């Protein structure tokens, strides 16, 4: 009976671990999606900055402000 009780306790512990792993998997998926959005936004911002830099350089050339 003691062995059976031990096995039942282990089954319960394993079920708790499986639930925790499922929760972590969901959290990791959400984190990956969030990070992907941040990277996309950062790439967009880099494009905007490059465009602004090119426009500024063009204005400086037109005004003969180039160093």
């Amino acid at each position: 009976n003691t062995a059976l009780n031990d096995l039942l306790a282990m089954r319960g512990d394993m079920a708790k671990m499986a639930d925790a792993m499922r929760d972590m998997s969901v959290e990791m998926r959400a984190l990956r999606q969030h990070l992907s959005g941040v990277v996309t936004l950062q790439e967009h911002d880099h494009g905007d900055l490059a465009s602004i830099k090119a426009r500024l350089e063009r204005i400086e050339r037109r005004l003969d402000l180039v160093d």
Side-chain angles (χ1 to χ4, degrees), residues 5 14 19 23-24 35 43 49-51 58 61 66-67:
N5 289 337
M14 290 184 69
D19 288 342
D23 291 345
M24 288 186 342
L35 186 56
E43 289 171 353
L49 287 174
S51 174
R58 207 168 38 244
R61 275 196 312 272
V66 179
D67 293 332

Side-chain angles (χ1 to χ4, degrees), residues 25-44:
S25 177
V26 168
E27 290 173 10
M28 289 290 291
R29 189 175 305 117
L31 185 59
R32 273 192 236 112
Q33 289 173 347
H34 177 72
L35 186 56
S36 176
V38 168
V39 168
T40 300
L41 183 60
Q42 183 181 15
E43 289 171 353
H44 182 290

